Amino acid sequence: MPIEKGDFVLLDYTLRIKEENKVIDTTIREIAEKHEIKKERFEPRLVILGEGNIPKGLEDELIGMEEGSKKMIEVSPEKGFGKRDPKLVKVYSARLLANKGIIPRVGMEVEIEGKRGLVLSVGGGRVIVDLNHPLAGKTLIYEVKIVKVIKGINEKVKALLKRRLGDISDKTKVFIENEGKVLRLDFPFEVLNLSNLGQFLSLFLKDINKYLPNISVVRFVFEHVLKKSTEEGKEIKTEKGAIAKAEAQHQPTGGDNP
Amino acid sequence: MPIEKGDFVLLDYTLRIKEENKVIDTTIREIAEKHEIKKERFEPRLVILGEGNIPKGLEDELIGMEEGSKKMIEVSPEKGFGKRDPKLVKVYSARLLANKGIIPRVGMEVEIEGKRGLVLSVGGGRVIVDLNHPLAGKTLIYEVKIVKVIKGINEKVKALLKRRLGDISDKTKVFIENEGKVLRLDFPFEVLNLSNLGQFLSLFLKDINKYLPNISVVRFVFEHVLKKSTEEGKEIKTEKGAIAKAEAQHQPTGGDNP
């Protein structure tokens, strides 16, 4: 079945800049190693067609492809990261940058006016910075493969969770209850120790709201089984000893007493 | 019914140092204001008899009291915060403290060797610090009232939760399921934004394990109801717009593409 707007797709891709014939990104480890591209993880990437998270020229060409199929897609700057804007090549005084704690060198990435820029030249107290997107003005060539079209609601939930929480999603159980209206996610208790968990889950909730609109309630469950067997009694006792101090420190009433 | 070991008690108290006839701590706002004692909250404090979180001399005297009763309790240093140890009054070189970023003045609290101490004198390059507990060697007088003896398991859970999470416990629903074996706590979703939530709940779990040993499973539930009504459709749309950027930033694969 051809892919259409709204579909969830796992995509393998390798991206190269046409003008320089240079590979700059890929989901495939072997290709990355060959081109010295460093990344935390190599796995197909979730693309939701129509989401607008990838360049329009790429998205347009994915529509109509089928699971397992491959394609080479050329994306013009207009449908990629835009044309280069000469006005975004700006001149700054070296002193101004120094005041911001930046000692510029050619080729360095700097952040100015909320944008990332590339230092093109330094000299005579002047610094020239290119604030264009690094891929602006480039023609892009994507070699893509539709690894999978995700169909089931449970799998869609898992995929959305994965892009917010990474591998934790593998340890999470997904349940759809109440005729599809309630989504329950069972996490290992340790996930509660993740910093910014609330923030990530809020983004996940917005995804659910947008892409799985039948779901009206999401329930996040963190379960902990307390160890009760006699064998482990000793271990627990030690833990309790350690806790006595922690308790004293965490008393909301503070202070040393009564 | 007289209080016994293991009971959960809500205690009002006012603590004064006998030698100086000085009130230094209280659970009662009016008394605190009179004596210029600052505290975040004024409410009876949870005491679990036998827990060892309060001085032994106080704990011993609470046993046998009844709900609603009052008492004045004198606690000797031996059964309070210990005798003063003259060896814990130590001399440090001012230079050594300066190296740690401490510029000592008399009466200042400093942290040395993992202990809190009071600067007694400064002069001639020498600093004398008292590392004894501030209440060591003092006879303490507690005026106490047993505000409540907590009996029900739900109420005990709430009280334990309150001392870890403060007022959030008021917005939490407690359910005891499966013949008392499963404890379920329903929190508002926003609680997930609390920093160190996992740490606080771990301490709570140790309390449950210790004081409510019949419970073998604890389930923390955070529920979010997604807004679906047409009236709110507009609002949600705006939120989604804002999210497009956040999404790009939070892509686990990072980078600018494909």
Side-chain angles (χ1 to χ4, degrees), chain A residues 40-251:
Chain A
E40 266 182 49
R41 55 172 74 210
F42 292 95
E43 61 189 5
R45 167 159 167 190
L46 174 66
V47 171
I48 303 172
L49 275 300
E51 189 181 32
N53 235 350
I54 57 172
K56 185 160 171 23
L58 175 59
E59 201 163 53
D60 288 349
E61 289 292 323
L62 294 177
I63 286 169
M65 286 180 73
E66 309 233 359
E67 188 170 281
S69 67
K70 297 180 181 183
K71 199 173 189 179
M72 189 179 288
I73 300 169
E74 185 168 322
V75 176
S76 65
E78 289 79 5
K79 288 192 163 188
F81 289 88
K83 291 188 178 180
R84 277 183 54 80
D85 180 356
K87 283 182 207 140
L88 287 177
V89 178
K90 295 192 174 180
V91 182
Y92 296 92
S93 87
R95 185 176 298 177
L96 184 124
L97 294 184
N99 286 345
K100 294 186 179 183
I102 302 170
I103 298 158
R105 279 166 293 117
V106 172
M108 188 181 178
E109 249 195 15
V110 291
E111 206 174 308
I112 310 177
E113 301 172 19
K115 283 189 173 179
R116 275 201 282 182
L118 188 72
V119 176
L120 296 184
S121 80
V122 181
R126 297 191 329 158
V127 182
I128 299 178
V129 180
D130 184 356
L131 296 172
N132 281 288
H133 188 285
L135 294 179
K138 306 287 186 187
T139 302
L140 309 173
I141 301 201
Y142 288 96
E143 285 179 67
V144 303
K145 181 185 173 185
I146 306 293
V147 177
K148 194 177 176 180
V149 180
I150 300 174
K151 288 290 179 195
I153 188 166
N154 282 46
E155 291 210 289
K156 285 185 177 179
V157 167
K158 278 247 177 188
L160 289 173
L161 197 62
K162 186 161 199 161
R163 78 169 176 183
R164 299 303 174 200
L165 291 180
D167 290 339
I168 288 166
S169 63
D170 298 339
K171 296 180 209 153
T172 304
K173 286 181 199 150
V174 175
F175 302 92
I176 308 287
E177 299 166 342
N178 267 32
E179 298 169 350
K181 284 187 196 128
V182 176
L183 165 63
R184 192 183 104 210
L185 296 170
D186 284 13
F187 294 94
F189 177 75
E190 304 74 54
V191 173
L192 280 176
N193 290 315
L194 207 75
S195 59
N196 301 326
L197 179 65
Q199 201 182 319
F200 291 131
L201 292 183
S202 293
L203 292 171
F204 169 76
L205 284 172
K206 301 220 163 152
D207 288 342
I208 293 291
N209 199 42
K210 197 171 172 184
Y211 299 114
L212 300 171
N214 287 332
I215 294 169
S216 57
V217 173
V218 183
R219 208 168 277 149
F220 302 98
V221 179
F222 301 82
E223 185 173 297
H224 188 84
V225 177
L226 296 162
K227 291 172 191 166
K228 293 284 168 192
S229 75
T230 2
E231 242 217 285
E232 289 160 324
K234 239 180 175 174
E235 190 200 336
I236 290 170
K237 213 168 173 185
T238 323
E239 278 182 67
K240 277 181 193 163
I243 283 311
K245 276 182 195 166
E247 267 167 12
Q249 287 166 6
H250 284 275
Q251 281 295 349

Side-chain angles (χ1 to χ4, degrees), chain B residues 171-175 184-188 219 221-223:
Chain B
K171 295 181 210 155
T172 304
K173 288 181 197 150
V174 176
F175 302 91
R184 191 182 104 210
L185 295 171
D186 284 13
F187 294 94
R219 208 168 278 150
V221 179
F222 301 82
E223 185 172 297

